[in-house]
């Protein structure tokens, strides 16, 4: 069983979440519920939960301020949020679990299942560091969490030269020469990295435009990247690619 704390200043919201967990998430045992910062800190110290459901927007202090006061985070986190879209993208880049209000039952079950099967290696603090960095006012997202068999690897976007599709996996090529195999499709990263200087030039390749050294014309043409690799540009991608490339 996973011992969980529910932290939300809205009594109705806490009771609703508790009801959903009781009915649809049998692996979760609710150790306690808190509606204030003071109560939350005491409960975390006394109950030492495996998992905390934390509402971000609370009048007394937001969820991030609570986490800062707790210091070492040795439990899993699922944020409850009504944040708008730019912040949701930061959550995805950081691989932090979150649920949007009103809570969807299937999304709740999926989030809990990820906690249940997560390896013993705790990376909550690393994920939070990336999330807070990507959420800073006036700062652009510059770091991403890549899920591998060994756990999450946190990478600066500027360090990525390209990503190559391998069926349901994606291989990332870094400027250090390192390669990272990730258990998500290239389509996932194409959508996630949209608007962050990445372009999918071929069904098998997503490239970082900052690492292009040269474009060679041809039927579709090809790019020469900063590591010397050549990446083909498909015919159907040529026109939109050149349009983007010309504005760099």
């Amino acid at each position: 069983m996973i011992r969980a704390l529910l932290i939300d200043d809205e009594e109705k919201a806490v009771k609703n979440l508790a009801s959903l967990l009781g009915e649809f998430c049998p692996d979760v045992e609710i150790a306690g519920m808190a509606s204030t910062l003071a109560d939350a800190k005491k409960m975390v110290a006394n109950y030492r939960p495996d998992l905390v459901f934390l509402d971000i927007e609370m009048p007394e202090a937001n969820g991030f301020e609570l986490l800062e006061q707790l210091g070492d985070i040795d439990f899993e986190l699922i944020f409850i949020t009504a944040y708008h879209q730019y912040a949701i993208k930061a959550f995805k880049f950081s691989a932090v679990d979150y649920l949007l209000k009103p809570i969807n039952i299937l999304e709740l079950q999926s989030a809990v299942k990820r906690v249940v099967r997560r390896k013993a290696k705790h990376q909550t603090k690393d994920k939070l560091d990336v999330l807070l960095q990507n959420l800073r006012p006036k700062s652009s997202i510059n770091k991403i969490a890549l899920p591998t068999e060994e756990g999450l690897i946190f990478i600066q976007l500027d360090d990525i030269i390209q990503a190559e599709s391998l069926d349901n996996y994606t291989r990332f090529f870094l400027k250090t020469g390192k390669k990272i195999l990730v258990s998500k499709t290239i389509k996932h990263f194409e959508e996630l990295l949209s608007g962050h200087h990445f372009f999918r030039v071929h069904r098998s390749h997503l490239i970082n435009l900052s690492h292009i050294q040269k474009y060679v014309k041809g039927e579709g043409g090809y790019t020469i990247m900063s590591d010397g690799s050549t990446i083909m540009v498909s015919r159907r991608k040529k026109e939109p690619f050149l349009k983007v490339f010309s504005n760099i």
Side-chain angles (χ1 to χ4, degrees), residues 13-141:
V14 171
K15 289 183 177 180
N16 178 59
L17 177 56
S19 176
L20 292 175
L21 288 169
E23 185 172 357
F24 299 104
C25 300
D27 293 317
V28 177
E29 173 192 359
I30 300 174
M33 295 179 280
S35 60
T36 68
L37 177 63
D39 287 344
K41 289 172 67 177
K42 289 179 183 177
M43 285 188 174
V44 169
N46 293 335
Y47 292 110
R48 299 194 61 80
D50 304 304
L51 170 64
V52 171
F53 289 87
L54 178 60
D55 181 32
I56 294 178
E57 301 90 3
M58 294 191 292
E60 181 186 357
N62 67 42
F64 298 124
E65 291 171 339
L66 168 61
L67 294 173
E68 287 176 0
Q69 293 186 34
L70 289 176
D72 291 335
I73 307 297
D74 58 356
F75 49 81
E76 296 288 342
L77 271 167
I78 297 178
F79 284 106
I80 311 295
T81 180
Y83 263 0
H84 42 80
Q85 193 58 41
Y86 92 90
I88 294 306
K89 199 161 191 177
F91 277 83
K92 291 180 179 178
F93 268 87
S94 312
V96 172
D97 282 312
Y98 68 93
L99 296 169
L100 290 175
K101 293 181 177 181
I103 294 174
N104 177 280
I105 294 171
L106 293 179
E107 291 176 357
L108 173 63
Q109 289 177 315
S110 295
V112 169
K113 285 178 181 177
R114 284 193 293 271
V115 171
V116 171
R117 66 171 179 258
R118 200 159 286 154
K119 295 182 179 180
K121 183 178 180 182
H122 292 292
Q123 292 186 299
T124 303
K125 184 180 184 303
D126 294 328
K127 291 188 287 187
L128 281 173
D129 288 343
V130 174
L131 174 62
L132 293 174
Q133 178 180 317
N134 289 340
L135 279 173
R136 284 184 189 131
K138 298 182 180 179
S139 71
S140 59
I141 288 176

Side-chain angles (χ1 to χ4, degrees), residues 161-180:
I161 295 175
Q162 62 137 323
E164 177 187 17
S165 173
L166 298 172
D167 295 325
N168 291 325
Y169 292 82
T170 302
R171 178 182 289 142
F172 281 82
F173 294 76
L174 307 184
K175 65 182 183 183
T176 60
K178 186 177 181 179
K179 300 174 185 178
I180 300 175

Side-chain angles (χ1 to χ4, degrees), residues 89 92-95 144-148 152-153 155 157 160 162-172 180-200 205-207:
K89 199 161 191 177
K92 291 180 179 178
F93 268 87
S94 312
I144 187 171
L146 299 179
T148 70
L152 292 173
I153 298 178
I155 301 294
L157 296 186
I160 300 171
Q162 62 137 323
E164 177 187 17
S165 173
L166 298 172
D167 295 325
N168 291 325
Y169 292 82
T170 302
R171 178 182 289 142
F172 281 82
I180 300 175
L181 186 63
V182 178
S183 54
K184 286 187 180 294
T185 66
I186 199 168
K187 181 175 176 59
H188 168 83
F189 291 108
E190 178 187 15
E191 295 172 352
L192 190 59
L193 292 167
S194 174
H196 294 277
H197 226 46
F198 283 77
F199 190 90
R200 192 171 179 180
H205 293 281
L206 178 69
I207 66 172

